Amino acid sequence: MNKKYTYVNGHSKATEQAHELVFNCYRDSRYFLDPVACEQFLEVVQEYRKEHRFFLWAYAIMQNHVHLLVSFKRANTDVVQIDIGIKGMVSERYSAYLLENDKDRYESFEVTEWGFTTFRLWQPGGSVERNISGARSILRSIKSIEANPVRKGYVEEAHDYQWCSAWARENKKGLIPDLYKTPVHIPDQKRTGFRGSANKSEHYSRFGRPR
């Protein structure tokens, strides 16, 4: 599997692979400390999920960036347009909310570029994209994304962090990720960092191809 990270630059098209996307906040700012921003981001993702018919397999909203793992049902879906659309809609809704409810905070998002003042939530440019194929690789990506809040010390268990797909799956509410099933061998935790069976037998995972 090629683990090289590339930037979405307008030329990549969705395929049968999964796409791991990372949206970065402007200048590494911790904008997602605000629960309203988190809620609006998830609302927009759900709307795009329905409209563009993609599987959402994992997500984690961190303080200064967001991880998504998606797979498109239509092979000709333009990943770039999904990227631009989600970020644009979130920025539009959150700026409108702040303008109405917290003008001081709204002004903290404003930047002046080329003589114009604009609301800036996201780092300019495309999001970071990694293409993933194969059930085992997708499973690893899900676990890695959902482990982000634990690695950062936000919580001790991924399912305790509200802005993560592990929490939604565990509590059966919020933006629940798509579940899928496939026979997958999960390697021993001591060797890979992932929990697995002691005899390395095949494990029937809750994660896998969508039903």
Side-chain angles (χ1 to χ4, degrees):
M1 181 185 68
N2 184 3
K3 294 185 178 181
K4 182 180 180 181
Y5 281 83
T6 58
Y7 284 87
V8 177
N9 57 16
H11 299 290
S12 59
K13 292 284 186 178
T15 65
E16 294 181 355
Q17 296 177 320
H19 300 266
E20 188 176 296
L21 302 173
V22 181
F23 302 160
N24 293 301
C25 292
Y26 182 63
R27 292 185 176 177
D28 210 29
S29 300
R30 297 188 295 172
Y31 292 149
F32 284 104
L33 285 172
D34 185 356
V36 173
C38 297
E39 291 170 357
Q40 291 186 341
F41 182 88
L42 295 182
E43 288 173 0
V44 171
V45 170
Q46 176 62 0
E47 292 172 11
Y48 266 74
R49 179 192 197 180
K50 290 181 178 180
E51 180 181 352
H52 296 279
R53 299 181 60 206
F54 62 77
F55 295 108
L56 175 65
W57 287 339
Y59 63 86
I61 302 178
M62 310 301 286
Q63 294 178 0
N64 59 1
H65 65 279
V66 181
H67 296 269
L68 290 181
L69 181 65
V70 301
S71 181
F72 299 98
K73 301 178 184 180
R74 294 180 294 210
N76 63 344
T77 302
D78 193 328
V79 182
V80 177
Q81 292 305 313
I82 300 297
D83 165 75
I84 293 173
I86 290 176
K87 292 194 295 186
M89 184 63 72
V90 173
S91 182
E92 180 180 327
R93 290 188 185 180
Y94 190 53
S95 63
Y97 165 80
L98 291 180
L99 193 58
E100 182 178 350
N101 296 278
D102 192 343
K103 290 186 178 180
D104 289 337
R105 182 163 172 77
Y106 175 90
E107 292 175 357
S108 71
F109 283 77
E110 291 185 322
V111 298
T112 301
E113 299 172 336
W114 306 102
F116 296 94
T117 300
T118 184
F119 183 92
R120 179 72 72 190
L121 173 62
W122 304 106
Q123 186 68 18
S127 300
V128 179
E129 178 191 15
R130 182 164 69 105
N131 295 329
I132 303 171
S133 61
R136 185 176 300 178
S137 298
I138 291 171
L139 176 60
R140 288 179 181 274
S141 179
I142 292 172
K143 287 180 174 290
S144 178
I145 288 174
E146 295 184 344
N148 273 288
V150 178
R151 286 194 291 265
K152 286 292 185 179
Y154 298 172
V155 291
E156 292 186 1
E157 299 288 343
H159 59 250
D160 292 331
Y161 186 64
Q162 183 178 355
W163 312 115
C164 176
S165 50
W167 182 91
R169 187 187 304 109
E170 179 75 16
N171 293 280
K172 295 181 174 58
K173 61 182 179 179
L175 183 57
I176 301 174
D178 292 295
L179 296 179
Y180 59 99
K181 294 181 179 181
T182 188
V184 176
H185 166 65
I186 303 179
D188 186 80
Q189 186 177 18
K190 293 182 180 178
R191 295 172 53 231
T192 66
F194 298 119
R195 185 173 300 170
S197 57
N199 60 4
K200 302 181 182 180
S201 62
E202 189 176 74
H203 174 78
Y204 204 79
S205 171
R206 288 188 301 166
F207 311 111
R209 295 191 178 90
R211 291 181 290 180

